[in-house]
Amino acid sequence: MEYYRKAAAIFIVIITLTLPFYLEVESEVAVVEIEALIAESEYLSQLAAQDIKKEAVEAEIMSVIKESAAEYAAANNYSSVVTKHLIYKGGKNISSQLAQKIDAEN
């Protein structure tokens, strides 16, 4: 009888220690098309249309996109956000959702 109690206790400890690895939610990669995002977002379109230095405008747009994408990825359990490249396959395109988020914040 003593043997079964020890075996049960060890089994419970092993299950307790390994359970978090099986309960983790699998995270996905988010993909953003910069051109489509600028076209869909009113705020980013207004920034792009400004007549100041092109480098400054691009830096401001990328800053807004990076900040908003990081918040969106954290809130929706994405492991990372990447810009769409021809060689990258997979992930979920979040350009329209991100455009709505940017417009709502600004």
Side-chain angles (χ1 to χ4, degrees), residues 26-78:
E26 189 174 316
S27 54
E28 217 177 344
V29 175
V31 180
V32 176
E33 285 185 74
I34 303 294
E35 294 82 20
L37 181 62
I38 293 172
E40 288 185 37
S41 172
E42 292 178 27
Y43 179 72
L44 295 178
S45 297
Q46 290 173 357
L47 282 178
Q50 291 180 354
D51 288 335
I52 56 177
K53 288 185 178 180
K54 186 175 182 176
E55 295 84 19
V57 170
E58 288 176 355
E60 176 68 25
I61 288 173
M62 289 307 293
S63 172
V64 169
I65 290 172
K66 285 179 183 178
E67 183 179 311
S68 297
E71 291 173 4
Y72 188 85
N76 294 302
N77 198 31
Y78 289 107

Side-chain angles (χ1 to χ4, degrees), residues 6-7 9 15 17-18 28 46 56 59 66 71 84 90:
K6 289 180 182 178
I15 294 295
L17 293 175
T18 59
E28 217 177 344
Q46 290 173 357
K66 285 179 183 178
E71 291 173 4
K84 189 171 186 179

Side-chain angles (χ1 to χ4, degrees), residues 74-99:
N76 294 302
N77 198 31
Y78 289 107
S79 63
S80 59
V81 178
V82 296
T83 56
K84 189 171 186 179
H85 295 288
L86 294 175
I87 59 171
Y88 185 81
K89 294 187 180 201
K92 182 177 178 187
N93 191 348
I94 61 165
S95 299
S96 59
Q97 293 92 346
L98 196 57

